[in-house]
Amino acid sequence: MSDQAPGPNLMAFLKGALPYLPGLAGAALSMAFGERLGVRGKALSLIVGVATALFVAPGFAAMISLVWPGGAIPQEVLSLIGFSSGLFGMTICAGLIEWVPKWMAKLKVKLGPLEIEGGGE
């Protein structure tokens, strides 16, 4: 049995996760924009919003840091970038989830004798 208390490990995890919380909050807030989505659509939209907050926001922050006056970007601005990227990433995904089935219904592909049509509206 280990003598080490679980407290320091939990605190280290929370300290590492803290910069990502605004992006996660932005992704969760944008759930209000996908009213017509089902459970799978909202789950996919949430995953895309979180991925946007985790992967797009740092790149966007790095680009802004190149032109930011005075050196380092304040933590509040980084939080805003993470929040807004999660929010917009998820909102865009929700719109795409609603648009793709409509587009696929109009799709017609012909490859030699093989003809594929989407479902009609």
Side-chain angles (χ1 to χ4, degrees):
M1 214 158 128
S2 174
D3 292 337
Q4 186 178 6
N9 291 334
L10 178 62
M11 293 305 289
F13 171 76
L14 290 176
K15 185 177 179 183
L18 192 60
Y20 301 110
L21 290 180
L24 297 174
L29 176 68
S30 65
M31 290 291 257
F33 297 108
E35 297 96 11
R36 295 183 299 240
L37 295 179
V39 174
R40 280 188 237 151
K42 285 190 178 190
L44 178 64
S45 188
L46 181 64
I47 290 168
V48 169
V50 169
T52 304
L54 292 177
F55 298 112
V56 174
F60 191 61
M63 287 189 297
I64 288 178
S65 71
L66 296 174
V67 295
W68 190 264
I73 300 175
Q75 183 60 40
E76 293 81 9
V77 175
L78 293 174
S79 296
L80 175 67
I81 291 169
F83 179 82
S84 59
S85 67
L87 179 72
F88 290 122
M90 191 169 168
T91 305
I92 289 170
C93 181
L96 285 176
I97 289 173
E98 293 176 359
W99 177 76
V100 167
K102 293 176 185 174
W103 180 77
M104 291 296 287
K106 298 175 183 177
L107 182 69
K108 293 183 181 181
V109 178
K110 186 171 182 177
L111 298 170
L114 179 64
E115 194 169 317
I116 302 171
E117 285 191 37
E121 286 189 325

